[in-house]
């Protein structure tokens, strides 16, 4: 990075980069505007560890999605990606000096991968909530909104939002839901999936 050039943005996504249109649109928009972007994503067997895709530096971590798996498998997968992305982003930050770290959900608690950057370099953390994790998991696994699972997921959502410097979400319905949960309106920005 040369003096006067814009500092890079780091994005974390528990998805395959090429398949996540929202992540790609946001990353490519930043790259077109002249901002370097590093995206840490999932990697399938045989995929390159790193490559540049439409101006975006994609770093694939050796974690795969287990679509349709049970809740324990999801939790192990999420924790594996959380740990690997935290280490990878922290190491990269030493050389790249990120301007901000943006986390695309699910899971919400992936925001904690940015904790070392926030503590060491005062890097702002942006939480991009693609959907409501508590409702998604209750729907997916058939849990009641009064269940312990739902309460735990609401608590992790609140803590994740509190950890973030700002929050993005995809529509006014999710914005209204967050405000009803007590999130300050001025902390949330809606960027529709268009």
């Amino acid at each position: 990075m040369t003096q006067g050039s814009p500092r890079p943005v780091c994005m974390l996504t528990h998805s395959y980069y090429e398949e996540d249109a929202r992540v790609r649109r946001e990353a490519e928009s930043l790259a077109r505007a002249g901002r370097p972007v590093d995206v840490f994503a999932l990697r399938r067997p045989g995929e390159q560890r790193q490559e540049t895709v439409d101006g975006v530096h994609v770093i694939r971590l050796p974690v795969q999605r287990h679509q349709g798996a049970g809740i324990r498998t999801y939790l192990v997968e999420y924790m594996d990606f959380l740990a690997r992305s935290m280490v990878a982003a922290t190491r990269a930050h030493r050389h790249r000096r990120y301007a901000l770290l943006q986390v695309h959900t699910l899971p919400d608690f992936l925001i904690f991968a940015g904790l070392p950057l926030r503590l060491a370099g005062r890097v702002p953390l942006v939480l991009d909530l693609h959907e409501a994790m508590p409702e998604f998991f209750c729907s997916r696994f058939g849990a009641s909104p009064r269940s312990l699972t739902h309460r735990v997921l609401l608590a992790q959502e609140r803590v994740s939002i509190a950890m973030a410097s700002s929050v993005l979400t995809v529509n006014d319905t999710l914005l209204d839901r967050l405000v009803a949960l007590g999130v300050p309106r001025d902390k949330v920005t809606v960027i529709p999936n268009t």
Side-chain angles (χ1 to χ4, degrees):
M1 189 168 63
T2 61
Q3 183 115 1
S5 63
R7 288 173 54 202
V9 168
C10 177
M11 291 187 179
L12 308 180
T13 180
H14 180 267
S15 65
Y16 298 110
Y17 178 72
E18 290 77 8
E19 293 179 2
D20 197 324
R22 182 175 175 88
V23 175
R24 285 193 70 167
R25 279 193 308 270
E26 290 180 16
E28 290 170 8
S29 293
L30 286 167
R32 279 193 303 274
R35 177 78 65 170
V37 182
D38 293 349
V39 177
F40 293 85
L42 301 176
R43 184 173 88 221
R44 291 184 183 91
E47 281 189 316
Q48 294 180 35
R49 289 182 182 172
Q50 296 186 40
E51 68 178 311
T52 300
V53 180
D54 295 323
V56 176
H57 182 215
V58 180
I59 303 100
R60 295 185 185 88
L61 303 175
V63 179
Q64 295 174 40
R65 182 181 294 150
H66 297 89
Q67 202 77 26
I71 197 160
R72 282 191 179 138
T73 302
Y74 274 113
L75 187 57
V76 168
E77 180 183 318
Y78 286 162
M79 296 309 288
D80 187 19
F81 188 77
L82 170 68
R84 290 175 186 272
S85 61
M86 178 187 286
V87 169
T90 302
R91 284 181 178 159
H93 178 65
R94 290 181 193 151
H95 307 288
R96 302 283 281 158
R97 308 305 305 163
Y98 293 121
L100 69 86
L101 184 141
Q102 181 174 347
V103 172
H104 294 269
T105 67
L106 303 173
D108 303 340
F109 59 81
L110 186 54
I111 193 78
F112 286 91
L115 185 59
L117 276 68
R118 183 158 190 182
L119 294 175
R122 294 187 173 87
V123 175
L125 305 180
V126 177
L127 184 62
D128 195 332
L129 296 169
H130 294 196
E131 45 195 312
M133 189 171 172
E135 285 75 9
F136 171 81
F137 268 83
C138 285
S139 170
R140 167 75 176 81
F141 295 105
S144 160
R146 290 188 293 269
S147 68
L148 176 61
T149 300
H150 189 260
R151 290 195 307 269
V152 167
L153 289 169
L154 275 173
Q156 72 78 38
E157 180 183 52
R158 285 187 172 108
V159 170
S160 298
I161 290 169
M163 174 75 175
S165 308
S166 62
V167 177
L168 304 177
T169 195
V170 297
N171 58 43
D172 289 332
T173 302
L174 284 175
L175 167 65
D176 294 342
R177 179 188 168 278
L178 293 172
V179 170
L181 289 174
V183 179
R185 170 63 186 89
D186 61 351
K187 187 173 184 171
V188 185
T189 301
V190 175
I191 300 179
N193 280 334
T194 55

